[in-house]
Amino acid sequence: MMTRKEKMLWALYGMILVLLFLLSSTNLIIKEKETPIYGVSVIIEDTSDDNYVNFRKGMDRAAMEFHADVSFITLYDKGSRKQQEELILREQQDGCRALIVSPVDGEAILGMQTEKGLNVPLVLLNSETGTGGDGPIGRIGFDYYHMGQELAAQIIRDQKGKRVYLFGERNPDEVSRRFRDGVLSVLEPAGYEIVEQEGGNAGEWKKAAGEVARKDGVRAVIAALDPVCLAEVAQALSEPGMAPGIGGLYGRGTTVRLLNYLDRGVIQGLCVTDDFSAGYLSVKMAVELAGNQTAEALGYLESRFIRQEDLRNLEYEKMLYPIE
């Protein structure tokens, strides 16, 4: 029969075991600090994410590191300002904590902060709009004007002719307009004849590229102002029945399709951007703003002009083919 002292010891042991169990398996005594999850909505200006593959990889990496729940949203109609505004207000109403927007119209988006009750933090992609707006705003982007200047300088270095065909959309976005302005700022003072070709679908680009090739042949130089146009022109020029060839095709973009055309020699020069870093930093900035922190001003992110041989350069491989 146990003595009173032994009973007290067993009772004490039992209490210690219960205490240890509570400490190890519940938060009744020691509460773990809860990590906030920030809902971030990314709304682009396009109907497809074809030009956002590396951006999404960087976005996903940042979402894991900074505890963000990210939604990536495309438009139903490319370049529709009204539709983008409706999606922005919808996402705010659904409870997102921050918005990342590649704006159709940057000024209109800023105006929403004063006129339409947009009050969640906002990160603008590739927008040169002013500093208006009443809410917290961050900016991520590339210097497309300088990229256009670099492209034009390379054309002057490569080509002997004095005529350049600029292929672009009938209603270009803000990025394409800045890129075009950069190209013209170098080519026009150098005495180049600029022939602008506007279009909007693959059939138009193919026909126009064929006409340029037949008219000027190897003296013809085409600079495409946006990735979609560049891809369609490259496809047209790479078809077996397209003859004669042209002197050079240049443009901008980072899609695998464009890089393949560069590797095959269909494209002679390409302006590329570090889209992985853009995606990563935009989510990081959005989370910081949602958490009432001060987001660091980053300036322009890295961009480069590359040629076929640069695709084997390790530095560019990391930029163009990032590992998730």
Side-chain angles (χ1 to χ4, degrees), residues 1-11:
M1 186 173 180
M2 288 190 296
T3 64
R4 179 175 177 176
K5 184 176 182 180
E6 290 174 330
K7 290 180 179 179
M8 291 179 64
L9 284 173
W10 280 108

Side-chain angles (χ1 to χ4, degrees), residues 183-210:
V183 171
L184 294 178
S185 73
V186 173
L187 292 183
E188 288 183 331
Y192 277 73
E193 177 189 356
I194 306 299
V195 181
E196 300 202 44
Q197 177 68 49
E198 296 181 341
N201 58 61
E204 288 180 288
W205 299 132
K206 181 177 180 179
K207 179 180 178 182

Side-chain angles (χ1 to χ4, degrees), residues 44-257:
I44 64 171
E45 81 296 350
D46 208 339
T47 57
S48 167
D49 67 348
D50 290 349
N51 295 314
Y52 286 86
V53 173
N54 287 346
F55 181 92
R56 294 193 68 167
K57 290 180 180 180
M59 182 186 78
D60 292 341
R61 172 74 65 82
M64 289 188 294
E65 292 187 16
F66 301 105
H67 310 290
D69 180 13
V70 180
S71 299
F72 190 90
I73 302 165
T74 60
L75 302 184
Y76 304 111
D77 300 311
K78 181 178 179 180
S80 172
R81 166 184 160 181
K82 179 180 179 181
Q83 190 177 106
Q84 189 173 62
E85 291 181 1
E86 290 173 350
L87 288 171
I88 287 171
L89 294 176
R90 184 197 73 182
E91 291 303 301
Q92 175 176 269
Q93 185 176 358
D94 288 347
C96 77
R97 298 286 303 277
L99 281 160
I100 300 171
V101 181
S102 178
V104 175
D105 184 334
E107 295 290 349
I109 300 301
L110 292 180
M112 292 179 68
Q113 291 186 318
T114 55
E115 299 170 9
K116 297 187 178 181
L118 177 61
N119 50 40
V120 297
L122 181 64
V123 177
L124 293 179
L125 299 177
N126 296 317
S127 177
E128 298 286 341
T129 53
T131 57
D134 295 336
I137 298 174
R139 298 174 188 274
I140 296 284
F142 302 93
D143 190 345
Y144 285 96
Y145 184 86
H146 177 73
M147 287 168 59
Q149 291 181 311
E150 176 65 17
L151 185 91
Q154 296 294 335
I155 289 174
I156 291 174
R157 195 187 85 172
D158 295 347
Q159 307 296 330
K160 295 181 179 179
K162 283 288 187 176
R163 178 185 297 149
V164 174
Y165 293 85
L166 291 188
F167 278 40
E169 297 279 353
R170 288 191 182 87
N171 299 303
D173 57 21
E174 182 180 342
V175 166
S176 297
R177 290 194 297 269
R178 295 206 307 274
F179 187 70
R180 171 186 176 275
D181 290 344
V183 171
L184 294 178
S185 73
V186 173
L187 292 183
E188 288 183 331
Y192 277 73
E193 177 189 356
I194 306 299
V195 181
E196 300 202 44
Q197 177 68 49
E198 296 181 341
N201 58 61
E204 288 180 288
W205 299 132
K206 181 177 180 179
K207 179 180 178 182
E211 291 174 352
V212 168
R214 285 188 293 272
K215 180 179 181 180
D216 286 352
V218 294
R219 294 178 301 169
V221 177
I222 297 176
L225 301 178
D226 65 83
V228 174
C229 172
L230 178 60
E232 299 299 343
V233 173
Q235 179 179 342
L237 294 176
S238 64
E239 293 179 358
M242 179 65 73
I246 68 170
L249 174 61
Y250 300 81
R252 64 178 179 89
T254 56
T255 66
V256 172
R257 185 182 179 191

Side-chain angles (χ1 to χ4, degrees), residues 15-26 29:
M15 292 174 62
I16 292 173
L17 288 173
V18 171
L19 180 62
L20 290 173
F21 172 78
L22 292 173
L23 288 172
S24 63
S25 61
T26 73
I29 297 176

